Amino acid sequence: AALGDGGDHPRARVLACACGSGRSRRGVRVPLSLRARRQGRHYSARMFGVVDVGRIAESFSELRASGGKGFIPFITAGDPDLATTEDLLVELSEAGATVVELGVPFSDPMADGPVIQRASERALKHGFGLDDVLAVVERARKRIDTPIILFSYFNPLLQFGVKRLAQRAAESGIDGVLV
């Protein structure tokens, strides 16, 4: 059978069992999605008094309004060196990146693929720390306005200090942290 636009087989489905709410009032089987979703009360930024969510929301609003597609590249900080990382942030912004994910190198990146593992190994040979990565972002931020998300395992962030990270990330122009 031909594949649909999404590349999935048209009959490939994951369905919940037909118990309880798996049937409509007429007894017809209704497929239930097994995808992950939030449970309980819906939390939004407005509930916490946050209305302006900054550059990330603005970038995606512009995409939605134009009907365009996003470009979200990932680079590892310090690969091949921090000066090149700064230049790459600027070049990616000029190339039209919607958001840039900036990976913090980690000594044991087992959840990452081989490309990111090797990039982390090369970057760690330079012996810089998270404060140096944030300094690179701070310098690049003077030249670009593209949202930058820090992408890291929790260990380096915890070692740096969560409160200190929040303060330094805001000062340097980080728009979000993905752990």
Side-chain angles (χ1 to χ4, degrees), residues 156-172:
L157 306 181
L158 186 61
Q159 184 177 7
F160 188 77
V162 177
K163 286 184 181 180
R164 180 176 165 215
L165 172 66
Q167 182 179 4
R168 280 290 294 126
E171 291 169 358
S172 64

Side-chain angles (χ1 to χ4, degrees), residues 12-131:
R13 303 284 186 261
V14 176
L15 302 173
C17 68
C19 54
S21 61
R23 297 206 178 266
S24 70
R25 282 186 233 172
R26 295 182 189 157
V28 178
R29 183 160 189 244
V30 178
L32 296 176
S33 172
L34 292 181
R35 293 183 178 175
R37 63 181 70 116
R38 297 190 186 274
Q39 296 182 13
R41 186 181 170 110
H42 173 72
Y43 290 98
S44 71
R46 291 178 194 264
M47 289 179 62
F48 298 103
V50 178
V51 177
D52 180 21
V53 288
R55 287 182 281 252
I56 297 171
E58 187 176 310
S59 290
F60 284 102
S61 288
E62 289 172 9
L63 274 180
R64 245 186 318 278
S66 70
K69 303 214 184 280
F71 169 48
I72 306 175
F74 171 89
I75 60 172
T76 299
D79 181 35
D81 55 54
L82 290 175
T84 304
T85 299
E86 181 179 344
D87 293 339
L88 284 172
L89 288 171
V90 173
E91 290 296 322
L92 288 168
S93 176
E94 290 173 357
T98 308
V99 176
V100 176
E101 289 183 356
L102 182 61
V104 175
F106 185 57
S107 60
D108 194 22
M110 299 319 296
D112 295 321
V115 172
I116 295 175
Q117 287 178 6
R118 287 192 299 273
S120 285
E121 289 170 9
R122 289 189 299 267
L124 287 170
K125 290 179 182 176
H126 300 296
F128 59 85
L130 188 52
D131 214 22

